[in-house]
Amino acid sequence: MQIGPILVDPPILLAPMAGVSNRAFRALARTQGATLCTTEMVNANALLHQSAKSYWMMELDPGETPVGIQIAGSDPDVMARAAQEAERHGADLVDINMGCPVPKVVKNGDGSALLTDEATAVAVVSAVVQAVNIPVTVKMRAGWDHDAITAPRLAQRFEEVGVKAVAIHARTRSDQYLRPANWDFIRQVKERVAIPVIGNGDVKEPEDALRMMEQTGADGVMIGRAAFGDPWIFQRVTRYLATGQQMSPPSATERALMGMRHLHRMVEIKGERVAVPEMRKQLAWYLKGTPGSAKYRRRCQQLTTQVDAETLVEEWLDHARDQELTWS
Ligand SMILES: Cc1cc2nc3c(=O)[nH]c(=O)nc-3n(C[C@H](O)[C@H](O)[C@H](O)COP(=O)(O)O)c2cc1C
């Protein structure tokens, strides 16, 4: 898949996810085969008000490429300036958020609210495209609700003003996450545009990625929640798409070691005080689904220090190694 000058091959992407797709997790996803990663959503207004958190979210690892920085907002001028800031920070592409369903975002007309206002949506996209020299992409839900599936028409308008790819999360804003994704929305967009269409929503297993591409004609697949505690998903999907072969999932030991690596990188980047609370849910995800993990996962919720977190993972490792010996 080609996004402007960027070759994304194989086209298997990590979804932008607030609180998850920071540079520590993006690095793990990349080593496991995610060929394009995007930052968490950065609020354009906050960025232009020099918010430290926004700048932090735009930080990229040295040599991290290709990478997109996602911006959110609905004022064309503010979004154009935020996009220039993203370009200065080393982004290979700027992605515009038109999917976020959160009330505090949509009440400002941002995120998925833009799906209901074609004129503003096109003005935002057009201003961003003109402001930067890197490709611009848009990630959007299918529409506000099932009576207003606006993504196909919007995608066509965005292509006309110079967008280089669109990612479609196959749900409406009103679906939140309550309904399963309807991949037909991706097909409907694909029929309307010549630029690459990236399908997103409920890809949980390698077979889902293949089915999505076959059913919709999507040029690429974007994976979000299935990567929680399981960055290997990108490798399994890559292998399956290339050869039709299934890789075995990671062992409990491998998962614990990946959790430890993730923890260490987060502490390096954010410092212990911020990183450890943020790692509570992530460590619990690494331990999930393995025999005997419930009591360790409960302990994750209380972690406050790096030593506590390391001790927990080490105890889990001992437990997992014992189990693996018993199983073999
Ligand atoms: C915790 C969380 C945070 C998210 N944050 C963002 C975000 O910042 N920007 C965005 O475009 N989508 C965001 N999303 C939506 C995902 O990118 C993706 O569209 C959605 O989870 C559906 O894909 P999946 O079924 O593979 O998880 C978020 C989703 C989750 C679960």
Side-chain angles (χ1 to χ4, degrees):
M1 179 175 69
Q2 193 78 35
I3 302 181
I6 305 168
L7 177 66
V8 185
D9 180 35
I12 302 164
L13 291 73
L14 170 67
M17 288 186 288
V20 179
S21 62
N22 53 48
R23 64 189 165 121
F25 189 65
R26 293 197 306 273
L28 300 183
R30 217 172 39 250
T31 58
Q32 298 305 320
T35 50
L36 175 62
C37 300
T38 304
T39 63
E40 307 166 79
M41 168 180 106
V42 180
N43 178 284
N45 255 315
L47 181 63
L48 297 186
H49 286 94
Q50 312 285 324
S51 135
K53 190 171 168 217
S54 302
Y55 274 90
W56 191 90
M57 286 197 286
M58 291 205 306
E59 286 294 306
L60 308 176
D61 271 351
E64 179 177 3
T65 189
V67 61
I69 292 182
Q70 188 186 63
I71 56 173
S74 50
D75 179 313
D77 181 50
V78 171
M79 286 290 276
R81 284 188 289 140
Q84 287 169 340
E85 213 40 45
E87 183 175 25
R88 265 196 294 278
H89 258 74
D92 295 299
L93 63 85
V94 177
D95 184 53
I96 299 175
N97 182 310
M98 292 198 194
C100 185
V102 173
K104 88 169 188 245
V105 172
V106 295
K107 86 168 172 356
N108 296 326
D110 304 347
S112 58
L114 282 167
L115 299 171
T116 65
D117 182 350
E118 181 175 323
T120 306
V122 174
V124 165
V125 169
S126 181
V128 170
V129 169
Q130 282 166 36
V132 293
N133 296 308
I134 50 179
V136 176
T137 58
V138 177
K139 176 166 178 286
M140 54 182 158
R141 287 197 179 223
W144 183 259
D145 61 27
H146 286 256
D147 296 326
I149 302 302
T150 46
R153 155 121 187 128
L154 285 172
Q156 199 178 353
R157 300 286 320 271
F158 297 161
E159 179 176 33
E160 285 162 13
V161 297
V163 158
K164 295 290 188 258
V166 287
I168 307 297
H169 176 190
R171 286 189 176 83
T172 66
R173 194 265 175 178
S174 65
D175 290 339
Q176 304 278 336
Y177 281 92
L178 303 173
R179 285 198 193 189
N182 176 355
W183 293 344
D184 198 55
F185 296 138
I186 301 166
R187 188 191 58 75
Q188 291 173 28
V189 172
K190 180 67 192 165
E191 276 181 355
R192 295 283 280 269
V193 295
I195 50 174
V197 174
I198 300 152
N200 170 242
D202 289 351
V203 171
K204 297 174 192 147
E205 300 292 341
E207 299 91 316
D208 298 332
L210 181 63
R211 261 191 319 116
M212 176 190 269
M213 292 178 93
E214 285 176 351
Q215 284 177 19
T216 68
D219 302 276
V221 172
M222 178 182 270
I223 299 175
R225 291 162 302 164
F228 288 174
D230 185 10
W232 298 268
I233 182 77
F234 298 102
Q235 211 182 93
R236 298 201 300 278
V237 169
T238 303
R239 171 80 70 88
Y240 187 75
L241 291 181
T243 67
Q245 283 168 5
Q246 293 282 3
M247 287 173 73
S248 33
S251 67
T253 308
E254 288 170 312
R255 294 177 75 126
L257 290 172
M258 187 69 89
M260 190 75 105
R261 197 167 144 198
H262 194 166
L263 168 73
H264 287 155
R265 188 71 187 119
M266 282 284 280
V267 171
E268 270 168 26
I269 293 172
K270 295 199 173 192
E272 179 181 27
R273 201 174 52 81
V274 176
V276 174
E278 283 194 20
M279 281 303 293
R280 288 175 189 152
K281 64 174 191 280
Q282 312 250 9
L283 286 174
W285 289 332
Y286 283 104
L287 306 187
K288 205 173 149 196
T290 43
S293 68
K295 89 171 179 212
Y296 295 92
R297 280 188 286 124
R298 273 196 299 277
R299 275 176 56 198
C300 287
Q301 304 320 317
Q302 269 96 51
L303 295 173
T304 49
T305 66
Q306 181 177 353
V307 172
D308 286 349
E310 286 171 351
T311 307
L312 172 66
V313 178
E314 273 156 15
E315 284 177 25
W316 167 254
L317 264 171
D318 285 344
H319 166 82
R321 284 183 181 130
D322 279 354
Q323 291 282 316
E324 278 161 22
L325 283 178
T326 320
W327 294 339
S328 55

